[in-house]
Amino acid sequence: MKLTDNVLRSFRVAKVFRENSDKINCFDFSPNGETVISSSDDDSIVLYDCQEGKPKRTLYSKKYGVDLIRYTHAANTVVYSSNKIDDTIRYLSLHDNKYIRYFPGHTKRVVALSMSPVDDTFISGSLDKTIRLWDLRSPNCQGLMHLQGKPVCSFDPEGLIFAAGVNSEMVKLYDLRSFDKGPFATFKMQYDRTCEWTGLKFSNDGKLILISTNGGFIRLIDAFKGAVLHTFGGYNNSKAVTLEASFTPDSQFIMIGSEDGKIHVWNGESGMKVAVLDGKHTGPITCLQFNPKFMTFASACSNMVRKWAFTSSE
């Protein structure tokens, strides 16, 4: 089934999960779309079954806490960053709740974590003003970049290049095979001192980059030329919360939550807002992602996850 303006407008909350007692920090869908995993300030990692619409298991990271979490290519392993003790990234087997490997190196909080879509490489960005390149098979950092400010970073869908957003004013593109030679493209944006960049994502077709901010707007840019195609606003974010923005899997639509619990959806080509969905969230929607394979998406506020499903109006 194809996503259209009308299909998006007809999404409704299908399930509400209240597994958490504290703020949900992050969630990630497995590559096959069958499960979604969440991390929370209550130190829990909750695994949900997307098809049955129920929690499968809960694991705890009491000692280290858990902040950003990402599936690897195996459906039963994840990497995650911590928010207690140290800033080491951990590689966890969900199957037996054991650590496979530790990735030490960052000296401040990790604020960006992106898994390569094609192999065992991943990148992390930290408030220590570095981006590190890793391989799941080795605890040693495979590459290190020093930046001038807080980074956001992400792989492209082919896993050949990655983009780094630096100082909330420029996007640098690096070739993974020769990134030590510096970026092959740099796109300078208009600096906006009212907010900072909080995320960067490629569309699935690799043609677009979405830059999210902790202000009242997000930007869509051309991934090849760096031109700003659209600036989307008109949603509430007066408290400078980090709100996650996402593409739909077909790269056609862009979505973001807001501090009043509503989800705003735009058509990426026309730039027109096509839907405002009310999820009855009690706080800002900090996490929002579309399932890569099925016609569902998930949103999370302080302590609850909502699963959205398409409901036909016929």
Side-chain angles (χ1 to χ4, degrees), residues 79-260:
V79 288
Y80 72 85
S81 65
S82 310
N83 49 15
K84 291 181 183 177
I85 296 190
D86 61 21
D87 301 286
T88 297
I89 296 165
R90 292 173 171 81
Y91 180 21
L92 177 70
S93 164
L94 301 172
H95 159 67
D96 51 8
N97 196 18
K98 287 197 166 70
Y99 292 116
I100 301 168
R101 198 159 282 115
Y102 299 96
F103 303 97
H106 284 302
T107 55
K108 287 187 176 171
R109 191 162 76 91
V110 173
V111 291
L113 192 59
S114 178
M115 191 76 213
S116 162
V118 295
D119 60 23
D120 284 338
T121 312
F122 69 97
I123 49 175
S124 57
S126 159
L127 294 179
D128 63 15
K129 300 181 184 173
T130 65
I131 289 177
R132 287 175 181 262
L133 183 67
W134 309 90
D135 188 303
L136 285 175
R137 296 161 295 191
S138 165
N140 303 319
C141 167
Q142 306 292 301
L144 174 64
M145 286 163 46
H146 291 275
L147 306 168
Q148 296 298 308
K150 175 188 168 182
V152 288
C153 54
S154 182
F155 279 100
D156 83 318
E158 257 83 61
L160 296 173
I161 65 169
F162 67 89
V166 189
N167 284 359
S168 300
E169 61 178 344
M170 64 182 85
V171 175
K172 294 172 181 270
L173 299 182
Y174 295 85
D175 187 311
L176 208 58
R177 292 154 302 193
S178 57
F179 79 95
D180 49 335
K181 294 186 173 70
F184 66 84
T186 299
F187 309 138
K188 200 151 171 37
M189 310 276 142
Q190 191 180 344
Y191 179 64
D192 189 312
R193 64 188 49 190
T194 63
C195 61
E196 64 176 6
W197 294 1
T198 53
L200 184 148
K201 288 183 183 179
F202 278 89
S203 57
N204 274 347
D205 61 9
K207 295 176 180 172
L208 305 166
I209 295 173
L210 181 61
I211 298 167
S212 31
T213 73
N214 62 0
F217 67 91
I218 51 179
R219 279 209 180 106
L220 187 66
I221 69 169
D222 182 302
F224 301 106
K225 302 188 185 107
V228 176
L229 303 174
H230 297 291
T231 300
F232 303 116
Y235 59 91
N236 291 351
N237 189 16
S238 62
K239 297 186 178 76
V241 178
T242 297
L243 305 170
E244 182 177 22
S246 290
F247 286 100
T248 51
D250 61 4
S251 310
Q252 303 300 309
F253 298 93
I254 288 96
M255 341 171 47
I256 192 169
S258 59
E259 68 183 6
D260 60 6

